Amino acid sequence: QRWAAQIQIDEEVMKKHLRPALDCVLESLLRMWKALDPVCKHPAIMSSKVVSVGHLVKLCVPAGMLKSLPMTQQRLEKYSRNASAPSSSRKVLSLTAPTTKLKPRSS
């Protein structure tokens, strides 16, 4: 309720449209943790002190709002279990690895 007042949005619009949309977006971001967590560990990003996408969601979404986002809460719980799994059982995707450049064939 306070969040709706802060951004001057009608409470009904918040309940029917914005809250479900926010829940869907945040839950989708959390599903991409395998790709996004390595990015959080990149030196350029580490200065923000964000260690994972789950950490970022917890930092940015007020606790009162988080309580009203059921899909996000469920995904955060699942994310916490996945993130705490032994690293040897997880594959790490690096988005910062050098890429191979394609060169045209000379005839």
Side-chain angles (χ1 to χ4, degrees):
Q1 291 175 357
R2 270 191 347 204
W3 196 63
Q6 286 177 343
I7 60 172
Q8 299 176 353
I9 298 289
D10 180 60
E11 184 64 29
E12 284 301 309
V13 171
M14 175 65 80
K15 284 181 184 176
K16 290 182 181 178
H17 302 289
L18 294 178
R19 192 174 290 149
L22 179 63
D23 196 20
C24 184
V25 167
L26 291 174
E27 192 264 346
S28 296
L29 280 173
L30 288 167
R31 272 190 278 135
M32 298 187 307
W33 72 273
K34 285 184 182 181
L36 295 175
D37 278 5
V39 175
C40 294
K41 292 167 179 56
H42 189 273
I45 306 295
M46 288 182 69
S47 63
S48 66
K49 298 189 180 9
V50 173
V51 296
S52 68
V53 68
H55 182 233
L56 180 63
V57 168
K58 289 177 184 178
L59 282 175
C60 294
V61 180
M65 173 61 82
L66 196 55
K67 290 177 184 177
S68 64
L69 304 173
M71 292 188 315
T72 301
Q73 279 186 314
Q74 283 181 325
R75 186 57 63 173
L76 271 173
E77 289 171 14
K78 188 173 183 177
Y79 170 84
S80 295
R81 286 192 304 269
N82 286 336
S84 63
S87 59
S88 61
S89 66
R90 295 183 306 185
K91 293 181 182 175
V92 176
L93 170 66
S94 175
L95 298 178
T96 58
T99 58
T100 303
K101 294 181 181 179
L102 298 176
K103 296 179 183 176
R105 282 194 244 177
S106 56
S107 312

